[in-house]
Amino acid sequence: MNDLEEMIRMELEEIEPLPRDNRRKSYRVGLTFNLKKGLKSDIEDLEAEYDSIETVNAIKEVLEELGCEVILLEADRNIIQSLVNNKPDIVFNIAEGLSGRGREAHIPALLNFLGIPFTGSDETTLCIALDKELTKRILSTYGIKTPEYYLMKSTSQKIPLLNYPVIVKPNAEGSSKGISDTAIVKNEEELKRLININCSMYSQPMLVEKYIKGREFTVAVIGNNEDTIVFPPMEIKFRKNDEKYCIYSYNVKKNY
C-alpha cells in the first residue's frame, strides 16, 4: 500500500473502520474539490489554491482501490443540489471554496448542516486557520510566540515603527498565494509600494510580519482527540542557503 493510499484509508477510518478483507463495505464517497480552470489573468497565482484534474483523479483512483464508489463533486454553486442528489455516505473534502475569508469552511459547514460525515478539519478550524491575524491572536492567548506583526488595509494607514526586514502576505490566503519573491521588504518605501500593489490585486488586508530567519517544517496530523497520529516532520530544504532571505514563495511551490 503506497503512502497516499494509507493516508486516505486512515482519513476514512476516522469516520468508520474500513474492513481489511474482501468483504469490505462499498462506501459511496463524494470527492469535493475546486478545479483549476486556466483563467487568463494578470494575477499569476489567481488559482493557486485550486487543484488540477490529475490530483483529483489520483485521489479517486486510490479510493476506488480501497473498494469505494467515488462521485466527483466540484464545489461550485451547484454543490448543494449535487450533494442532495448523490447522497454520499462520506465526503473526502479537498475543496477551497469560492470567495471570502471563510471560503474553506463552505463545504464542511454544508456537510454538517446536511448530516454527511467528511474528512479533514471542520468549518470553525478552517475559518480561523485561513485568517492569519486571527490565528496569531488566538495562539498568543496560549503563550505561543509568533513574530511581531501589523495588519495593513492600505497605505493611508499610519505605518508603525517596524523592525525591518518584514515579510508581507495577504491575510487570508493559502498555498503561498500573494507571497512573491519580493515579499520581503527592507524599508518603509518598499513597504508602501508592495502594500499598494497587493491590496489592489488581492482585495484584502496585508499581514506585515517581522522576518524570522530559520528552518521551516511541515507536520501532518491525522485523527481526533486521543486517536491523533502525528507524522514525522518534513523539513523544507532550500538549495541556495547562501541567500540572505529564504522564503517558501509561490514561485518555489510552482516551479521546484
Side-chain angles (χ1 to χ4, degrees):
M1 184 180 291
N2 61 36
D3 291 344
L4 179 58
E5 185 174 346
E6 180 61 20
M7 289 186 70
I8 290 175
R9 170 181 280 277
M10 292 170 70
E11 285 270 14
L12 293 177
E13 285 184 335
E14 282 302 312
I15 299 166
E16 185 175 347
L18 291 172
R20 294 180 179 269
D21 58 25
N22 293 329
R23 299 185 305 277
R24 58 189 173 187
K25 176 181 176 181
S26 178
Y27 286 89
R28 187 174 176 82
V29 180
L31 175 52
T32 48
F33 58 92
N34 287 102
L35 203 61
K36 294 183 187 293
K37 304 291 187 182
L39 298 175
K40 300 296 182 182
S41 173
D42 294 334
I43 304 175
E44 181 187 14
D45 55 7
L46 180 67
E47 298 182 309
E49 293 182 296
Y50 293 169
D51 288 295
S52 67
I53 191 61
E54 289 79 14
T55 298
V56 173
N57 284 333
I59 296 172
K60 178 177 181 288
E61 288 169 10
V62 172
L63 288 166
E64 289 174 338
E65 288 171 7
L66 291 169
C68 300
E69 175 192 357
V70 182
I71 310 154
L72 298 184
L73 301 169
E74 187 166 4
D76 55 21
R77 299 189 187 280
N78 300 313
I79 186 63
I80 299 175
Q81 196 60 51
S82 296
L83 288 168
V84 172
N85 291 344
N86 287 285
K87 298 180 175 61
D89 299 316
I90 297 171
V91 165
F92 193 94
N93 179 43
I94 60 168
E96 297 289 343
L98 296 181
S99 61
R101 67 173 183 166
R103 63 187 175 277
E104 288 188 348
H106 289 174
I107 298 304
L110 284 173
L111 294 171
N112 268 331
F113 183 78
L114 295 171
I116 302 171
F118 58 92
T119 62
S121 299
D122 68 9
E123 60 271 29
T124 305
T125 302
L126 292 171
C127 274
I128 293 171
L130 190 62
D131 188 319
K132 298 179 179 68
E133 194 261 350
L134 179 58
T135 299
K136 288 167 71 73
R137 285 167 55 191
I138 292 174
L139 292 178
S140 68
T141 66
Y142 288 91
I144 298 172
K145 295 181 179 180
T146 73
E148 298 173 8
Y149 73 96
Y150 189 77
L151 197 65
M152 292 197 66
K153 298 179 180 178
S154 71
T155 51
S156 62
Q157 288 179 245
K158 181 179 179 182
I159 295 179
L161 292 174
L162 297 170
N163 292 317
Y164 293 94
V166 295
I167 184 167
V168 179
K169 59 187 81 169
N171 187 54
E173 299 290 355
S175 304
S176 290
K177 187 173 178 179
I179 302 178
S180 68
D181 296 332
T182 59
I184 296 174
V185 298
K186 300 177 287 298
N187 54 58
E188 185 173 315
E189 182 181 349
E190 291 181 0
L191 176 61
K192 285 182 177 180
R193 186 184 310 119
L194 190 57
I195 292 294
N196 273 331
I197 293 171
N198 281 1
C199 284
S200 174
M201 288 178 67
Y202 300 103
S203 302
Q204 62 184 281
M206 293 295 126
L207 186 74
V208 180
E209 262 185 329
K210 181 179 179 182
Y211 174 73
I212 302 294
K213 185 175 178 60
R215 298 164 71 187
E216 186 168 344
F217 296 86
T218 294
V219 182
V221 179
I222 289 181
N224 297 298
N225 303 321
E226 68 275 3
D227 298 322
T228 300
I229 297 171
V230 181
F231 285 78
M234 295 186 297
E235 184 171 4
I236 297 168
K237 298 290 287 184
F238 294 94
R239 291 181 178 180
K240 298 180 181 179
N241 288 321
D242 56 335
E243 290 189 4
K244 189 172 183 180
Y245 306 118
C246 292
I247 59 172
Y248 200 24
S249 67
Y250 172 72
N251 175 50
V252 171
K253 287 188 176 181
K254 180 183 177 183
N255 297 313
Y256 300 97

